[in-house]
Amino acid sequence: MSVRNIVTLGNETLRKKSKPVVDFDESLGTLLDDMKQTMIEKNGMGISAVQVGVLRRALIAEKEDGDFLEVINPTILETKGKVKKSEGCLSVPGFYTEVERPEYVKIEAYDRHGNKFEYETEGYFARCICHEIDHLNGILFVDLTKAGQEYKKKKGVQ
Ligand code: CO
């Protein structure tokens, strides 16, 4: 396992739409292991493959109990409610803003071996998963609030 470089705001890779994972092979395992180590090293709560420069639909999120959930090719099946809470992102170091997210989310996805599963969660972890899924579509949390828009303008980045 190794720590990879984090792609940060202003790099256009973050704005690209990630492609589905097709091969559930050893290189996917290595990517996920590296993502996990990178996230731990940088004190993140979630990480998507695009943040280490790989445009594939894969993410890892850390549960409140310290367990990790690996999510490949996710589809959101259902959301409920709306909650506004503070968020940050490894790709936007030092900036936090309150973002509105679903209170509950249910997804369908695959694990690293290609097994399909459904997962539902609420609160913090629902927020975390929604934030990471946004990354797979080129969306950053700074796009979603006025303070985030101002931050981008101040930094002169898209
Ligand atoms: Co992020």
Side-chain angles (χ1 to χ4, degrees), residues 64-136:
E64 275 159 310
D65 65 8
D67 252 16
F68 294 87
L69 182 71
E70 294 181 349
V71 175
I72 319 292
N73 298 345
T75 306
I76 293 176
L77 298 177
E78 192 184 349
T79 62
K80 283 182 209 161
K82 278 178 187 167
V83 192
K84 211 171 171 184
K85 282 207 170 159
S86 183
E87 275 181 35
C89 177
L90 289 177
S91 294
V92 191
F95 180 74
Y96 302 88
T97 182
E98 288 204 339
V99 181
E100 192 173 273
R101 298 278 186 193
E103 161 64 15
Y104 162 96
V105 68
K106 184 178 182 182
I107 60 166
E108 178 183 275
Y110 296 81
D111 67 15
R112 66 164 65 195
H113 307 292
N115 302 308
K116 195 194 259 191
F117 65 91
E118 278 187 13
Y119 189 88
E120 56 179 352
T121 186
E122 54 188 23
Y124 150 77
F125 203 52
R127 168 174 302 277
C128 192
I129 287 174
C130 290
H131 174 120
E132 299 310 327
I133 289 177
D134 270 357
H135 273 298
L136 308 184

Coordinates of all heavy atoms in Angstrom, one line a residue, residues 64-136:
E64 N -18.8 5.8 11.4 CA -18.6 6.4 12.8 C -17.9 5.4 13.7 O -17.1 5.8 14.6 CB -19.9 6.9 13.4 CG -20.2 8.3 12.9 CD -21.7 8.6 13.0 OE1 -22.5 7.8 12.6 OE2 -22.0 9.7 13.6
D65 N -18.0 4.1 13.5 CA -17.4 3.1 14.3 C -16.0 2.8 13.9 O -15.3 1.9 14.4 CB -18.2 1.8 14.4 CG -18.4 1.1 13.1 OD1 -17.7 1.5 12.1 OD2 -19.2 0.1 13.0
G66 N -15.5 3.5 12.8 CA -14.1 3.3 12.4 C -14.0 2.3 11.2 O -12.9 2.1 10.7
D67 N -15.1 1.6 10.9 CA -15.1 0.6 9.8 C -15.1 1.4 8.5 O -15.5 2.5 8.4 CB -16.4 -0.2 9.8 CG -16.1 -1.6 10.3 OD1 -15.0 -1.9 10.8 OD2 -17.0 -2.5 10.0
F68 N -14.6 0.8 7.4 CA -14.6 1.4 6.1 C -15.5 0.7 5.1 O -15.7 -0.5 5.2 CB -13.2 1.3 5.5 CG -12.2 2.1 6.3 CD1 -11.5 1.6 7.4 CD2 -11.9 3.4 6.0 CE1 -10.6 2.3 8.1 CE2 -11.0 4.2 6.7 CZ -10.4 3.6 7.8
L69 N -16.2 1.5 4.3 CA -17.1 0.9 3.3 C -16.5 1.2 2.0 O -16.3 2.4 1.6 CB -18.5 1.5 3.4 CG -19.5 0.9 2.4 CD1 -19.9 -0.5 2.8 CD2 -20.8 1.8 2.4
E70 N -16.3 0.2 1.2 CA -15.8 0.4 -0.2 C -17.0 0.3 -1.1 O -17.8 -0.6 -1.0 CB -14.8 -0.7 -0.6 CG -13.5 -0.6 0.2 CD -12.5 -1.7 -0.1 OE1 -12.8 -2.6 -0.8 OE2 -11.4 -1.5 0.4
V71 N -17.1 1.3 -2.0 CA -18.3 1.4 -2.9 C -17.8 1.6 -4.3 O -17.1 2.5 -4.7 CB -19.1 2.7 -2.4 CG1 -20.3 2.9 -3.4 CG2 -19.6 2.5 -1.0
I72 N -18.2 0.6 -5.2 CA -17.9 0.7 -6.6 C -19.1 0.8 -7.4 O -20.1 0.2 -7.2 CB -17.2 -0.6 -7.0 CG1 -16.2 -1.1 -6.0 CG2 -16.5 -0.5 -8.4 CD1 -15.0 -0.3 -5.7
N73 N -19.1 1.7 -8.4 CA -20.2 1.9 -9.4 C -21.5 2.1 -8.6 O -22.5 1.4 -8.9 CB -20.3 0.7 -10.3 CG -19.1 0.5 -11.2 OD1 -18.3 1.4 -11.3 ND2 -19.0 -0.6 -11.8
P74 N -21.6 3.0 -7.7 CA -22.8 3.2 -7.0 C -24.0 3.8 -7.8 O -23.8 4.6 -8.7 CB -22.4 4.2 -5.8 CG -21.3 5.0 -6.4 CD -20.6 4.0 -7.3
T75 N -25.2 3.4 -7.4 CA -26.4 4.1 -7.9 C -27.2 4.4 -6.6 O -27.4 3.6 -5.7 CB -27.3 3.1 -8.7 OG1 -26.5 2.5 -9.7 CG2 -28.5 3.7 -9.3
I76 N -27.7 5.7 -6.6 CA -28.6 6.1 -5.5 C -30.0 5.6 -5.8 O -30.6 5.9 -6.8 CB -28.5 7.6 -5.3 CG1 -27.1 8.0 -4.8 CG2 -29.6 8.0 -4.3 CD1 -26.9 9.5 -4.6
L77 N -30.5 4.8 -4.9 CA -31.9 4.2 -5.1 C -32.9 5.1 -4.5 O -34.0 5.2 -5.0 CB -32.0 2.8 -4.5 CG -31.0 1.7 -5.1 CD1 -31.2 0.4 -4.3 CD2 -31.3 1.5 -6.5
E78 N -32.6 5.7 -3.3 CA -33.6 6.5 -2.6 C -32.9 7.4 -1.7 O -31.8 7.1 -1.1 CB -34.4 5.5 -1.8 CG -35.7 6.1 -1.2 CD -36.4 5.1 -0.3 OE1 -36.1 3.9 -0.3 OE2 -37.3 5.6 0.4
T79 N -33.5 8.6 -1.5 CA -33.1 9.5 -0.5 C -34.3 10.0 0.3 O -35.4 10.1 -0.3 CB -32.3 10.8 -1.0 OG1 -33.2 11.5 -1.9 CG2 -31.1 10.4 -1.8
K80 N -34.1 10.4 1.5 CA -35.1 11.0 2.3 C -34.6 12.2 3.2 O -33.5 12.1 3.7 CB -35.7 10.0 3.3 CG -36.6 9.0 2.7 CD -37.1 8.1 3.9 CE -37.4 6.7 3.3 NZ -37.5 5.7 4.4
G81 N -35.4 13.2 3.3 CA -35.0 14.3 4.2 C -33.9 15.2 3.7 O -33.3 14.9 2.7
K82 N -33.7 16.3 4.4 CA -32.6 17.2 4.1 C -32.0 17.7 5.4 O -32.8 18.1 6.3 CB -33.2 18.4 3.3 CG -33.3 18.1 1.8 CD -33.9 19.3 1.1 CE -34.2 18.9 -0.4 NZ -35.0 20.0 -1.0
V83 N -30.7 17.7 5.5 CA -30.0 18.3 6.7 C -28.8 19.2 6.2 O -28.2 18.8 5.2 CB -29.4 17.2 7.6 CG1 -29.0 17.7 8.9 CG2 -30.4 16.0 7.8
K84 N -28.7 20.3 6.9 CA -27.6 21.2 6.6 C -26.5 21.0 7.6 O -26.8 21.3 8.8 CB -28.1 22.6 6.5 CG -27.4 23.5 5.5 CD -28.2 24.8 5.4 CE -27.3 25.8 4.6 NZ -28.0 27.1 4.6
K85 N -25.3 20.6 7.2 CA -24.2 20.5 8.2 C -22.9 20.9 7.6 O -22.7 20.8 6.3 CB -24.1 19.1 8.8 CG -25.2 18.9 9.9 CD -24.7 17.8 10.8 CE -25.7 17.8 12.0 NZ -25.7 16.5 12.8
S86 N -21.9 21.1 8.4 CA -20.6 21.5 7.9 C -19.8 20.4 7.2 O -19.9 19.2 7.7 CB -19.7 22.1 9.1 OG -18.5 22.5 8.6
E87 N -19.2 20.7 6.1 CA -18.4 19.7 5.4 C -17.0 20.2 5.0 O -16.9 21.4 4.8 CB -19.1 19.3 4.1 CG -20.1 18.2 4.2 CD -20.7 17.9 2.9 OE1 -20.1 17.9 1.9 OE2 -21.9 17.6 2.9
G88 N -16.1 19.3 4.9 CA -14.8 19.7 4.3 C -14.5 18.6 3.2 O -15.3 17.7 3.0
C89 N -13.3 18.7 2.6 CA -12.9 17.8 1.6 C -11.4 17.8 1.4 O -10.7 18.9 1.5 CB -13.5 18.3 0.2 SG -13.1 17.3 -1.2
L90 N -10.8 16.6 1.3 CA -9.3 16.5 1.1 C -8.8 17.3 0.0 O -7.7 17.8 0.0 CB -8.9 15.1 1.0 CG -9.1 14.1 2.2 CD1 -8.7 12.7 1.8 CD2 -8.2 14.6 3.3
S91 N -9.7 17.5 -1.1 CA -9.3 18.3 -2.2 C -9.4 19.8 -2.1 O -9.0 20.5 -3.0 CB -10.1 17.8 -3.5 OG -9.7 16.5 -3.8
V92 N -10.0 20.2 -1.0 CA -10.2 21.6 -0.7 C -9.7 21.9 0.7 O -10.5 22.2 1.6 CB -11.7 22.1 -0.9 CG1 -11.7 23.6 -0.9 CG2 -12.2 21.5 -2.2
P93 N -8.4 21.7 1.0 CA -7.9 21.8 2.3 C -8.2 23.1 3.0 O -8.0 24.2 2.4 CB -6.4 21.5 2.2 CG -6.1 21.7 0.8 CD -7.3 21.4 0.0
G94 N -8.6 23.1 4.3 CA -8.8 24.3 5.1 C -10.1 25.0 4.9 O -10.3 26.0 5.5
F95 N -11.0 24.5 4.0 CA -12.2 25.2 3.8 C -13.4 24.3 4.2 O -13.4 23.2 3.9 CB -12.4 25.6 2.3 CG -13.7 26.4 2.1 CD1 -13.9 27.7 2.5 CD2 -14.8 25.7 1.5 CE1 -15.1 28.3 2.3 CE2 -16.0 26.4 1.3 CZ -16.1 27.7 1.7
Y96 N -14.3 24.9 5.0 CA -15.5 24.2 5.4 C -16.7 25.1 5.2 O -16.7 26.3 5.3 CB -15.4 23.9 6.9 CG -14.1 23.1 7.2 CD1 -12.9 23.7 7.5 CD2 -14.2 21.7 7.2 CE1 -11.8 23.0 7.7 CE2 -13.0 20.9 7.4 CZ -11.8 21.6 7.7 OH -10.7 20.9 7.9
T97 N -17.8 24.4 4.8 CA -19.1 25.2 4.6 C -20.2 24.2 4.9 O -20.1 23.0 4.7 CB -19.2 25.8 3.2 OG1 -20.4 26.6 3.1 CG2 -19.1 24.8 2.1
E98 N -21.4 24.8 5.3 CA -22.5 24.0 5.6 C -23.3 23.7 4.3 O -23.6 24.5 3.5 CB -23.5 24.7 6.5 CG -23.0 24.8 7.9 CD -24.1 25.0 9.0 OE1 -25.2 25.5 8.6 OE2 -23.8 24.7 10.1
V99 N -23.5 22.4 4.1 CA -24.1 21.9 2.8 C -25.3 21.1 3.2 O -25.4 20.3 4.1 CB -23.1 20.9 2.1 CG1 -23.7 20.4 0.8 CG2 -21.7 21.6 1.8
E100 N -26.3 21.3 2.3 CA -27.6 20.5 2.5 C -27.5 19.2 1.8 O -27.1 19.1 0.6 CB -28.8 21.3 1.9 CG -30.1 20.8 2.3 CD -31.2 21.7 1.9 OE1 -31.6 22.6 2.6 OE2 -31.7 21.5 0.8
R101 N -27.7 18.1 2.6 CA -27.7 16.8 2.0 C -28.9 16.0 2.5 O -29.5 16.3 3.5 CB -26.4 16.0 2.6 CG -25.1 16.7 2.2 CD -24.6 16.3 0.8 NE -23.3 16.7 0.6 CZ -22.7 16.8 -0.6 NH1 -23.4 16.3 -1.7 NH2 -21.5 17.2 -0.8
P102 N -29.1 14.8 1.8 CA -30.2 14.0 2.3 C -29.9 13.4 3.7 O -28.7 13.2 4.0 CB -30.2 12.8 1.3 CG -29.6 13.3 0.1 CD -28.5 14.3 0.6
E103 N -30.9 13.3 4.5 CA -30.8 12.7 5.9 C -30.6 11.2 5.8 O -29.9 10.6 6.6 CB -32.1 13.0 6.7 CG -32.3 12.2 7.9 CD -31.3 12.3 9.0 OE1 -30.5 13.3 8.9 OE2 -31.2 11.5 9.9
Y104 N -31.2 10.6 4.7 CA -31.1 9.1 4.5 C -30.8 8.8 3.1 O -31.3 9.6 2.2 CB -32.5 8.6 4.9 CG -32.7 7.2 4.3 CD1 -32.5 6.0 5.1 CD2 -33.2 7.0 3.0 CE1 -32.8 4.8 4.7 CE2 -33.5 5.7 2.6 CZ -33.3 4.6 3.4 OH -33.5 3.3 2.9
V105 N -30.0 7.8 2.8 CA -29.7 7.4 1.5 C -29.6 5.9 1.4 O -29.2 5.2 2.3 CB -28.4 8.1 0.9 CG1 -27.1 7.5 1.7 CG2 -28.2 7.8 -0.6
K106 N -30.1 5.4 0.3 CA -30.0 3.9 0.0 C -29.4 3.8 -1.4 O -29.8 4.4 -2.3 CB -31.4 3.3 -0.1 CG -31.4 1.8 -0.2 CD -32.9 1.3 -0.2 CE -32.9 -0.2 -0.3 NZ -34.4 -0.6 -0.4
I107 N -28.3 3.0 -1.4 CA -27.6 2.8 -2.6 C -27.5 1.4 -3.0 O -27.7 0.5 -2.2 CB -26.1 3.4 -2.6 CG1 -25.3 2.7 -1.4 CG2 -26.1 4.9 -2.3 CD1 -23.8 2.9 -1.5
E108 N -27.2 1.2 -4.3 CA -26.8 -0.2 -4.8 C -25.4 0.0 -5.3 O -25.1 1.0 -6.0 CB -27.8 -0.5 -5.9 CG -27.5 -1.9 -6.6 CD -28.5 -2.1 -7.7 OE1 -29.6 -2.6 -7.5 OE2 -28.1 -1.8 -8.9
A109 N -24.5 -0.9 -5.1 CA -23.2 -0.8 -5.5 C -22.5 -2.2 -5.6 O -23.2 -3.2 -5.3 CB -22.4 0.1 -4.6
Y110 N -21.2 -2.2 -5.8 CA -20.4 -3.4 -5.9 C -19.3 -3.3 -4.9 O -18.7 -2.2 -4.7 CB -19.9 -3.7 -7.3 CG -21.0 -3.9 -8.3 CD1 -21.7 -2.8 -8.8 CD2 -21.4 -5.2 -8.7 CE1 -22.8 -3.0 -9.7 CE2 -22.5 -5.3 -9.6 CZ -23.1 -4.2 -10.1 OH -24.2 -4.4 -10.9
D111 N -18.9 -4.5 -4.4 CA -17.6 -4.5 -3.6 C -16.4 -4.7 -4.5 O -16.6 -4.9 -5.7 CB -17.7 -5.5 -2.5 CG -17.7 -7.0 -2.9 OD1 -17.4 -7.2 -4.1 OD2 -18.1 -7.9 -2.1
R112 N -15.3 -4.8 -4.0 CA -14.0 -4.9 -4.8 C -14.0 -6.2 -5.6 O -13.1 -6.4 -6.5 CB -12.8 -4.7 -3.9 CG -12.5 -5.8 -2.9 CD -11.1 -5.8 -2.4 NE -10.8 -4.5 -1.6 CZ -9.5 -4.1 -1.4 NH1 -8.5 -4.9 -1.8 NH2 -9.3 -3.0 -0.7
H113 N -14.8 -7.2 -5.2 CA -14.8 -8.5 -5.9 C -15.9 -8.6 -6.9 O -16.0 -9.6 -7.6 CB -14.9 -9.6 -4.9 CG -13.9 -9.6 -3.8 ND1 -12.6 -9.8 -4.0 CD2 -14.1 -9.3 -2.4 CE1 -11.9 -9.6 -2.8 NE2 -12.8 -9.3 -1.9
G114 N -16.7 -7.5 -7.1 CA -17.7 -7.5 -8.1 C -19.0 -8.0 -7.6 O -20.0 -8.2 -8.4
N115 N -19.2 -8.2 -6.2 CA -20.4 -8.6 -5.7 C -21.3 -7.4 -5.4 O -20.9 -6.4 -4.8 CB -20.2 -9.3 -4.3 CG -19.3 -10.5 -4.5 OD1 -19.6 -11.4 -5.3 ND2 -18.3 -10.5 -3.6
K116 N -22.6 -7.5 -6.0 CA -23.5 -6.4 -5.8 C -24.1 -6.4 -4.4 O -24.4 -7.5 -3.9 CB -24.6 -6.6 -6.8 CG -25.5 -5.3 -7.0 CD -26.8 -5.7 -7.8 CE -26.6 -5.3 -9.3 NZ -28.0 -5.4 -9.9
F117 N -24.3 -5.2 -3.9 CA -25.0 -5.1 -2.5 C -25.8 -3.8 -2.5 O -25.6 -2.9 -3.3 CB -23.9 -5.1 -1.4 CG -23.0 -3.9 -1.4 CD1 -23.3 -2.8 -0.6 CD2 -21.8 -4.0 -2.1 CE1 -22.4 -1.7 -0.6 CE2 -20.9 -2.9 -2.0 CZ -21.2 -1.7 -1.3
E118 N -26.7 -3.9 -1.5 CA -27.5 -2.6 -1.2 C -27.1 -2.2 0.1 O -26.8 -3.0 1.0 CB -29.0 -2.9 -1.2 CG -29.6 -3.0 -2.6 CD -31.1 -3.1 -2.6 OE1 -31.8 -2.9 -1.6 OE2 -31.6 -3.3 -3.7
Y119 N -27.1 -0.9 0.3 CA -26.7 -0.3 1.6 C -27.5 0.9 1.9 O -27.8 1.7 1.0 CB -25.2 0.1 1.5 CG -24.6 0.5 2.9 CD1 -24.0 -0.5 3.7 CD2 -24.6 1.8 3.3 CE1 -23.5 -0.1 4.9 CE2 -24.1 2.2 4.5 CZ -23.5 1.2 5.3 OH -23.0 1.5 6.6
E120 N -28.0 1.0 3.1 CA -28.7 2.2 3.5 C -28.2 2.8 4.8 O -27.7 2.0 5.7 CB -30.2 1.9 3.7 CG -30.6 0.8 4.7 CD -32.1 0.6 4.8 OE1 -32.9 1.3 4.2 OE2 -32.4 -0.4 5.5
T121 N -28.2 4.1 4.9 CA -27.6 4.7 6.1 C -28.2 6.1 6.2 O -28.9 6.6 5.3 CB -26.1 4.8 6.0 OG1 -25.6 5.3 7.3 CG2 -25.6 5.7 4.9
E122 N -28.0 6.7 7.4 CA -28.5 8.1 7.6 C -27.5 8.9 8.3 O -26.4 8.5 8.8 CB -29.8 8.0 8.4 CG -29.7 7.2 9.7 CD -31.0 7.0 10.3 OE1 -32.1 7.0 9.7 OE2 -31.0 6.8 11.6
G123 N -27.8 10.2 8.5 CA -27.0 11.1 9.2 C -25.6 11.4 8.6 O -25.5 11.5 7.4
Y124 N -24.6 11.4 9.5 CA -23.3 11.6 9.0 C -22.8 10.8 7.8 O -22.2 11.2 6.9 CB -22.3 11.4 10.2 CG -20.9 11.0 9.7 CD1 -20.0 11.9 9.2 CD2 -20.5 9.6 9.8 CE1 -18.8 11.5 8.7 CE2 -19.3 9.2 9.3 CZ -18.4 10.2 8.8 OH -17.2 9.8 8.3
F125 N -23.1 9.4 7.9 CA -22.6 8.6 6.9 C -23.3 8.7 5.6 O -22.7 8.5 4.5 CB -22.6 7.1 7.4 CG -21.6 6.2 6.7 CD1 -20.3 6.6 6.6 CD2 -22.0 5.0 6.1 CE1 -19.4 5.8 5.9 CE2 -21.1 4.2 5.4 CZ -19.8 4.6 5.3
A126 N -24.6 9.1 5.6 CA -25.3 9.4 4.4 C -24.7 10.6 3.7 O -24.5 10.6 2.5 CB -26.8 9.6 4.7
R127 N -24.4 11.6 4.5 CA -23.7 12.8 4.0 C -22.4 12.5 3.3 O -22.1 12.9 2.2 CB -23.5 13.8 5.2 CG -22.6 15.0 4.9 CD -22.6 15.9 6.1 NE -23.9 16.3 6.4 CZ -24.5 17.4 5.8 NH1 -23.9 18.1 4.9 NH2 -25.8 17.7 6.1
C128 N -21.6 11.7 4.0 CA -20.3 11.3 3.6 C -20.4 10.6 2.2 O -19.7 10.9 1.2 CB -19.7 10.4 4.6 SG -17.9 10.1 4.4
I129 N -21.3 9.6 2.1 CA -21.5 8.9 0.8 C -21.9 9.8 -0.3 O -21.4 9.7 -1.4 CB -22.4 7.7 1.1 CG1 -21.7 6.6 1.9 CG2 -22.9 7.1 -0.3 CD1 -22.5 5.4 2.3
C130 N -22.9 10.7 0.0 CA -23.4 11.6 -1.0 C -22.3 12.5 -1.5 O -22.2 12.8 -2.7 CB -24.6 12.4 -0.5 SG -26.1 11.4 -0.3
H131 N -21.5 13.0 -0.6 CA -20.3 13.9 -0.9 C -19.4 13.1 -1.9 O -19.0 13.7 -2.9 CB -19.6 14.3 0.3 CG -18.3 15.1 0.1 ND1 -18.1 16.3 0.6 CD2 -17.2 14.7 -0.5 CE1 -16.9 16.8 0.3 NE2 -16.3 15.8 -0.4
E132 N -19.1 11.9 -1.6 CA -18.2 11.1 -2.4 C -18.8 10.8 -3.8 O -18.1 10.8 -4.8 CB -17.7 9.8 -1.7 CG -17.0 10.1 -0.4 CD -15.8 11.0 -0.5 OE1 -15.2 11.1 -1.6 OE2 -15.6 11.8 0.5
I133 N -20.1 10.4 -3.8 CA -20.7 10.1 -5.1 C -20.7 11.4 -6.0 O -20.5 11.3 -7.2 CB -22.1 9.6 -4.9 CG1 -22.1 8.2 -4.3 CG2 -22.9 9.6 -6.2 CD1 -23.4 7.5 -4.0
D134 N -20.9 12.6 -5.4 CA -20.8 13.8 -6.2 C -19.4 13.9 -6.9 O -19.3 14.3 -8.0 CB -20.9 15.0 -5.2 CG -22.4 15.5 -5.1 OD1 -23.3 14.9 -5.8 OD2 -22.6 16.4 -4.3
H135 N -18.3 13.5 -6.2 CA -17.0 13.5 -6.8 C -17.0 12.7 -8.1 O -16.3 13.1 -9.0 CB -16.0 12.9 -5.8 CG -15.4 13.9 -4.8 ND1 -14.6 15.0 -5.2 CD2 -15.4 13.9 -3.5 CE1 -14.2 15.6 -4.2 NE2 -14.6 15.0 -3.1
L136 N -17.7 11.6 -8.1 CA -17.6 10.7 -9.3 C -18.3 11.4 -10.5 O -18.1 11.0 -11.6 CB -18.4 9.4 -9.0 CG -17.9 8.6 -7.7 CD1 -18.6 7.3 -7.6 CD2 -16.4 8.4 -7.7

